[in-house]
Amino acid sequence: MSRIEEVLRQDVFSRDDIIRLLSAVEAEELEMISQAAGRTLMERCSDKVYLRGLIEFSNICTMDCLYCGLRKSNQKVNRYCLTKKEIVAAAYECAANGLGSIVLQSGERRDASFIDFVTDVVREIKRQTVSEKLSDGLGITLCVGEQSPENYRRFFNAGAHRYLLRIETSHPGLFKKIHPPRQRLESRLRCLEVLKEIGYQVGTGVMIGLPGQTISMLADDILFFRDIDIDMIGMGPYICHPDTPMYKHHQSVDRRRNEIFRRSLLMIAAARLVLKDVNIASTTALQAMDPLGREKGIRFGANVVMPQLTPAGYRGDYLIYPGKPCLNEGNNECRIRFENEMRSLGRAVAIDQWGDPKHFITRTKKTRGNGPASYESLAEQRLNR
Ligand code: SAM
Ligand code: SF4
């Protein structure tokens, strides 16, 4: 029996097992891992693929992440913010086409007018999308960065029930290298903790292929997701943007392109095998690297896709990385094509459903005493490494 077969016979995976999974290269090994991830998904979740219409409503950002094309120091970006009417119209289209949930994503702003705007938009989307099929309106996920506990609560009370905040890497040294000094890992960890306390379904994730990132760091990322008892995961390959400080690494990143893509799929599979009942997105960045990237992500254990619903005229200005596919895929025709593709993989697309992660339901049933270690103690452990 091969070493990978041995690893895959288990139900609980050690750090070494995860490193072994992430190191797989041979086609046969990759097939075994993808099959095992698929089995776990069927046993612990279902055959359903959930849809979230993605609305990138603003590219204005006050942060300066060294990898992202939207960073505030990038003067070449044509900045925009959709109007409330435009966002609500996109959300309405999403509901009308059977996508039960949306993700509202933007650059990070913390000023009062932005917070009021987001709160108002969430409330209005909820009001306008209640229907016979969606008795509580669209499910709303927010992805608008680090905010104060009070503002997270305002968004929640307005009707947002999921929040995505990627940790980018759980390794303190690497985090420091890819962010300016004022952006801190501890602060992100605290945000995740607050989001969970408020009652959100909480998602996080990392970029794969960052310069200086090792397989053990990625294995630690998976263990980090497990230890903080996360509900949802969104991970994807790091793609170099020419107008960012990290572009200086582009030659080595380009050389490792195939490895980065493969490892991104393996991270999805490893997350599925270790965390089992969480929702995992097959992200746009996978599709940017390979036209079939999204389907491959599904094969490796993902169960969420985020069709692009940003109005077409703005998509070219939301370039976090180059080569982002700008497909118009929220409409009925695209949905039917996607449903057929999924059916050929033995999967069914869930229509008019929120598609909440099973993990959220399980963890909220747990008594307090059995809950995860606090995020702050985890942060401390990581900082002391
Ligand atoms: N501003 C919010 C935030 O940072 O949480 C939400 C929007 S931000 C564009 C969403 C995600 O894009 C980030 O969490 C990061 O992982 C990803 N991202 C940014 N630049 C990227 C790049 N060059 N390659 C791949 N992913 C990137
Ligand atoms: Fe802004 Fe998010 Fe990009 Fe960082 S990753 S620069 S916070 S949009």
Side-chain angles (χ1 to χ4, degrees):
M1 192 188 304
S2 75
R3 178 81 176 95
I4 283 286
E5 273 176 302
E6 260 173 53
V7 169
L8 290 173
R9 281 165 71 95
Q10 306 171 100
D11 193 45
V12 177
F13 299 84
S14 68
R15 185 170 184 267
D16 281 348
D17 292 334
I18 300 171
I19 290 174
R20 184 66 197 93
L21 292 173
L22 298 179
S23 311
V25 178
E26 301 303 327
E28 202 186 326
E29 291 181 327
L30 296 177
E31 184 56 29
M32 280 194 273
I33 294 172
S34 125
Q35 299 260 344
R39 278 195 300 276
T40 303
L41 178 67
M42 295 303 163
E43 282 162 25
R44 301 295 297 269
C45 301
S46 70
D47 66 342
K48 295 277 188 301
V49 176
Y50 299 112
L51 303 173
R52 282 89 174 85
L54 175 62
I55 306 174
E56 296 154 335
F57 69 92
S58 171
N59 64 0
I60 303 170
C61 188
T62 56
M63 297 292 124
D64 232 357
C65 307
L66 305 185
Y67 43 84
C68 176
L70 302 187
R71 64 197 305 265
K72 73 165 182 191
S73 300
N74 184 4
Q75 306 287 324
K76 295 189 190 164
V77 181
N78 182 26
R79 304 283 172 178
Y80 71 85
C81 183
L82 300 189
T83 63
K84 174 174 152 187
K85 205 169 154 198
E86 286 170 316
I87 305 173
V88 175
Y92 193 83
E93 185 192 330
C94 173
N97 282 312
L99 285 76
S101 286
I102 48 167
V103 177
L104 295 177
Q105 192 185 89
S106 72
E108 189 166 317
R109 281 174 56 189
R110 300 181 190 168
D111 55 286
S113 66
F114 179 75
I115 303 299
D116 289 347
F117 177 72
V118 174
T119 311
D120 195 26
V121 164
V122 168
R123 202 175 288 123
E124 192 57 23
I125 291 174
K126 275 288 178 195
R127 204 176 66 77
Q128 290 208 21
T129 56
V130 172
S131 68
E132 237 171 69
K133 289 177 184 163
L134 289 170
S135 56
D136 288 314
L138 277 175
I140 302 181
T141 308
L142 283 180
C143 180
V144 298
E146 294 181 31
Q147 303 291 346
S148 68
E150 184 195 325
N151 291 335
Y152 281 144
R153 201 160 284 119
R154 279 189 67 193
F155 298 153
F156 187 77
N157 291 340
H161 80 293
R162 303 190 189 112
Y163 204 100
L164 298 176
L165 181 67
R166 285 193 184 176
I167 198 84
E168 316 298 358
T169 169
S170 67
H171 189 278
L174 186 57
F175 188 96
K176 262 194 198 152
K177 279 197 189 134
I178 63 171
H179 293 100
R182 78 179 171 104
Q183 291 178 233
R184 302 178 66 92
L185 177 61
E186 302 92 302
S187 146
R188 224 162 260 214
L189 290 164
R190 256 191 304 278
C191 285
L192 289 172
E193 181 167 30
V194 166
L195 287 163
K196 203 161 172 189
E197 276 167 14
I198 292 172
Y200 280 100
Q201 296 171 13
V202 186
T204 193
V206 295
M207 281 179 288
I208 297 139
L210 291 165
Q213 187 180 46
T214 61
I215 294 194
S216 345
M217 287 179 192
L218 288 170
D220 287 337
D221 291 336
I222 300 273
L223 295 173
F224 168 77
F225 302 150
R226 182 200 65 190
D227 294 348
I228 63 169
D229 216 1
I230 207 74
D231 303 308
M232 311 175 297
I233 298 178
M235 302 178 286
Y238 162 62
I239 302 172
C240 283
H241 190 296
D243 304 313
T244 60
M246 277 168 59
Y247 193 65
K248 63 180 181 221
H249 301 289
H250 80 275
Q251 281 174 333
S252 76
V253 173
D254 282 352
R255 254 197 316 275
R256 293 189 297 123
R257 197 185 155 86
N258 290 344
E259 177 197 302
I260 292 173
F261 184 75
R262 183 180 66 242
R263 206 152 285 157
S264 300
L265 296 177
L266 288 169
M267 278 292 281
I268 292 179
R272 173 61 64 208
L273 289 164
V274 175
L275 284 95
K276 308 195 193 297
D277 58 357
V278 294
N279 275 358
I280 304 179
S282 188
T283 54
T284 319
L286 278 173
Q287 207 180 352
M289 279 189 107
D290 176 337
L292 290 177
R294 194 168 60 180
E295 288 72 16
K296 291 181 182 170
I298 294 289
R299 277 179 191 270
F300 276 75
N303 63 339
V304 170
V305 294
M306 303 182 359
Q308 179 58 261
L309 277 189
T310 309
Y314 296 100
R315 284 182 208 163
D317 291 324
Y318 199 90
L319 281 193
I320 49 187
Y321 47 76
K324 206 172 140 223
C326 289
L327 311 170
N328 183 9
E329 46 183 12
N331 62 30
N332 214 20
E333 197 187 312
C334 291
R335 200 200 71 203
I336 290 168
R337 197 172 50 238
F338 182 70
E339 273 178 43
N340 289 337
E341 279 166 23
M342 289 301 107
R343 211 167 291 127
S344 71
L345 298 179
R347 310 287 294 278
V349 176
I351 304 301
D352 293 321
Q353 288 181 36
W354 277 13
D356 289 333
K358 280 247 161 66
H359 188 80
F360 176 76
I361 301 155
T362 323
R363 88 164 159 84
T364 45
K365 278 189 193 149
K366 277 186 200 162
T367 57
R368 239 184 124 65
N370 293 336
S374 90
Y375 287 54
E376 273 180 8
S377 68
L378 280 166
E380 217 167 275
Q381 276 169 30
R382 265 151 221 275
L383 290 165
N384 289 336
R385 255 196 214 147

